Amino acid sequence: QTPETPNVLGIALLGRQMARWDLDAVDAATRAKAAAIAAVMPDEAFYVRDPAWRSLTTHCLRVDDPLAWKVRAESAGFEIGSGYGPLKASCIRIATFPSVPLEQIERVLAALSG
């Protein structure tokens, strides 16, 4: 199997799962999680400055000491990502995928702000 060969089983399973979802509800929940992050993080913390261009599912945030932020998250039972490449030393990433409940985003934000 070459990398160009699609994973037909994976695509079929994804299609079945998506058929079960209420996509409007998934969209609303994802937007609520993104709004929760935007409500507590200063606008200048977002790597992508224009909200219209920001991802709703992965939030790249510039912070003073990313390692300290990661340690605070881990002490509360969460794992947050680092930036990639040159952003590794200045950014953290918080995922707000559909599988992550709003309550977990609120708890990680409380851990990071406290």
Side-chain angles (χ1 to χ4, degrees), residues 16-79:
R16 284 186 184 177
Q17 180 59 45
M18 289 185 71
R20 289 185 218 136
W21 284 343
D22 176 348
L23 295 181
D24 290 332
V26 171
D27 180 61
T30 302
R31 290 179 185 281
K33 292 178 275 190
I37 292 174
V40 299
M41 295 301 293
D43 215 32
E44 59 273 5
F46 288 88
Y47 179 72
V48 177
R49 297 297 175 117
D50 185 346
W53 288 96
R54 290 181 194 150
S55 169
L56 292 175
T57 59
T58 305
H59 305 271
C60 184
L61 305 164
R62 291 184 188 268
V63 295
D64 290 336
D65 184 358
L67 184 58
W69 286 69
K70 288 180 67 121
V71 167
R72 281 200 305 266
E74 288 171 6
S75 70
F78 295 99
E79 185 175 336

